[in-house]
Amino acid sequence: MIIQLEPQITTDQLAGLEEQLTKIKYSVNPVKTQYANYLVGVGKTDFDIRSIGTLPGIKDIHRVSDAYKLVSKKWRVDNTVIDLGDGIRIGEGSPAMMVGPCSIESEEQVALTIEHMKKNGIRIMRGGVYKPRSSPYSFRGLGIDGLKMWHEQTREAGIKIITEVMMVDQIEEMHDYVDVFQVGARNSQNFNLLDALGEVDRPVLLKRGISGTIDELLASAEYIFSNGNERIMLCERGIRSYETAYRNTFDINALVMLKEKTHLPVIADPSHGIGVRRFVDKIALASAVAGADGIIMEVHHEPEKAFSDGQQTLSFGQAEKLYQQLKRMEWLQE
């Protein structure tokens, strides 16, 4: 069960509530987030929920049978909306485009991308400064100095940054230069990292693991929420299967299933989802039809010369055609 506590609950009321939960053999797990205080009760005893719900100090109480509880839609009727400030919102009727290169490469590249974004009314820029690469000899990012340069340019343009964090030790140095922390597929079950991001008041975009199930993705999100951070987005980016005709198997089913199971915004990543440039726009359009709250994809002024993932990156011209299609669908605002 999930119990949302009244802000003014007294110490005695809280102690009495915990005592009642212990009597019915439920473990008590306090959770304090940036928005509310909760008790998550876990147990198997059948009981009348009114015997708990009528106790003083309780604002709301819900039964949640899922292994993941705080991210479940069974207790929160209203879907979560992520507010990045400056009028930028993600979720519940406010779909968002997040575009940019796979890797941040230079000041010129950032400036050209910002110009492209401003021209098309897009205000969230993706990019990597720490890159988890399959080969140790591939370009692995500009690091914190590249992030600071990128941040300086985007702040002047009124654009928000989403970028990947790979280790707990990176969070503090990156914090002031990042608007959304991204957890990549390879770290989807890095529970130390998820715990640490739960203690940070920055939104987190959590990607599905390379071979991860939907329930495993939701369980990973539960780690972040239960450590205090409710500002989470989930990202379908394709999973590894036996198919070799494209990079990953993009699971369009996951978008609708996640919308059914969780109140968190659901984002689609068509670039990694298929990994073939000429098909990325089609997967993006399908994601919009399936109800995605956002699309994160790779664009570059010269994809053929990109330091990484050029084969799945759209040119500015290709991206602009997609934006127009999304606007005609009324998914993306003019």
Side-chain angles (χ1 to χ4, degrees):
M1 79 184 86
I2 295 176
I3 301 171
Q4 185 172 349
L5 304 175
E6 293 283 4
Q8 67 274 19
I9 188 172
T10 66
T11 302
D12 289 343
Q13 289 171 339
L14 181 58
L17 173 57
E18 291 178 344
E19 182 180 353
Q20 289 300 313
L21 291 171
T22 302
K23 283 182 179 179
I24 59 172
K25 299 182 180 180
Y26 269 64
S27 64
V28 182
N29 303 275
V31 174
K32 182 177 182 180
T33 75
Q34 62 266 73
Y35 301 126
N37 290 336
Y38 307 93
L39 292 182
V40 178
V42 180
K44 296 182 178 180
T45 306
D46 191 21
F47 69 99
D48 184 348
I49 197 169
R50 291 172 296 181
S51 64
I52 301 295
T54 55
L55 294 174
I58 293 179
K59 183 176 182 179
D60 210 351
I61 184 170
H62 299 269
R63 288 188 188 274
V64 181
S65 56
D66 298 325
Y68 49 88
K69 301 188 183 301
L70 292 162
V71 303
S72 172
K73 204 168 190 174
K74 290 183 178 178
W75 75 280
R76 179 168 284 181
V77 176
D78 296 329
N79 288 327
T80 293
V81 177
I82 307 296
D83 190 341
L84 299 184
D86 299 322
I88 304 173
R89 293 161 61 84
I90 306 170
E92 198 64 0
S94 299
M97 290 296 299
M98 311 173 198
V99 307
C102 176
S103 300
I104 298 300
E105 300 167 2
S106 66
E107 291 188 35
E108 179 188 16
Q109 176 217 37
V110 171
L112 289 170
T113 305
I114 288 173
E115 182 180 348
H116 162 79
M117 294 176 67
K118 291 175 70 174
K119 175 184 174 183
N120 291 283
I122 297 174
R123 302 183 62 194
I124 306 173
M125 184 173 173
R126 58 140 295 139
V129 294
Y130 294 109
K131 299 300 300 179
R133 306 304 303 278
S134 298
S135 169
Y137 309 114
S138 300
F139 177 67
R140 298 174 70 181
L142 297 179
I144 191 65
D145 291 335
L147 178 59
K148 290 178 180 178
M149 173 273 292
W150 180 21
H151 173 267
E152 184 177 352
Q153 291 199 52
T154 53
R155 279 299 171 271
E156 292 177 0
I159 287 173
K160 305 296 182 180
I161 284 177
I162 175 170
T163 192
E164 183 170 357
V165 59
M166 294 174 56
M167 299 186 297
V168 173
D169 291 347
Q170 293 171 345
I171 295 174
E172 185 175 358
E173 69 174 4
M174 293 175 69
H175 181 275
D176 293 345
Y177 309 102
V178 172
D179 298 290
V180 181
F181 281 111
Q182 175 183 307
V183 177
R186 292 173 177 83
N187 275 316
S188 187
Q189 291 186 307
N190 181 341
F191 300 122
N192 290 333
L193 180 60
L194 301 180
D195 283 343
L197 288 169
E199 298 173 2
V200 177
D201 191 16
R202 280 280 190 276
V204 176
L205 183 140
L206 176 63
K207 288 197 169 186
R208 186 178 179 182
I210 292 173
S211 300
T213 66
I214 289 173
D215 280 0
E216 286 171 338
L217 174 61
L218 291 166
S220 292
E222 189 82 3
Y223 270 85
I224 300 171
F225 199 130
S226 65
N227 276 279
N229 189 355
E230 297 192 24
R231 303 171 72 192
I232 308 165
M233 295 174 275
L234 304 177
C235 182
E236 166 58 33
R237 48 80 68 196
I239 53 176
R240 179 172 292 165
S241 71
Y242 54 79
E243 185 54 71
T244 59
Y246 34 77
R247 180 171 180 176
N248 293 300
T249 297
F250 186 78
D251 187 1
I252 197 78
N253 297 346
L255 300 177
V256 293
M257 289 303 298
L258 286 168
K259 296 289 288 183
E260 178 80 10
K261 287 174 171 284
T262 182
H263 54 84
L264 301 174
V266 179
I267 311 300
D269 178 353
S271 300
H272 288 88
I274 192 162
V276 182
R277 186 186 308 153
R278 65 182 181 278
F279 299 136
V280 168
D281 59 342
K282 297 172 179 62
I283 303 304
L285 292 169
S287 300
V289 172
D293 295 299
I295 294 171
I296 182 169
M297 67 180 196
E298 295 174 357
V299 301
H300 194 286
H301 62 288
E302 292 181 307
E304 296 80 5
K305 297 181 180 179
F307 286 10
S308 53
D309 283 353
Q311 78 285 349
Q312 65 190 34
T313 301
L314 298 186
S315 68
F316 289 170
Q318 291 169 321
E320 286 174 1
K321 289 179 182 178
L322 173 59
Y323 306 150
Q324 292 306 313
Q325 289 175 296
L326 290 169
K327 288 175 182 177
R328 286 196 293 272
M329 292 169 55
E330 299 185 351
W331 184 87
L332 192 63
Q333 300 300 313
E334 292 285 353

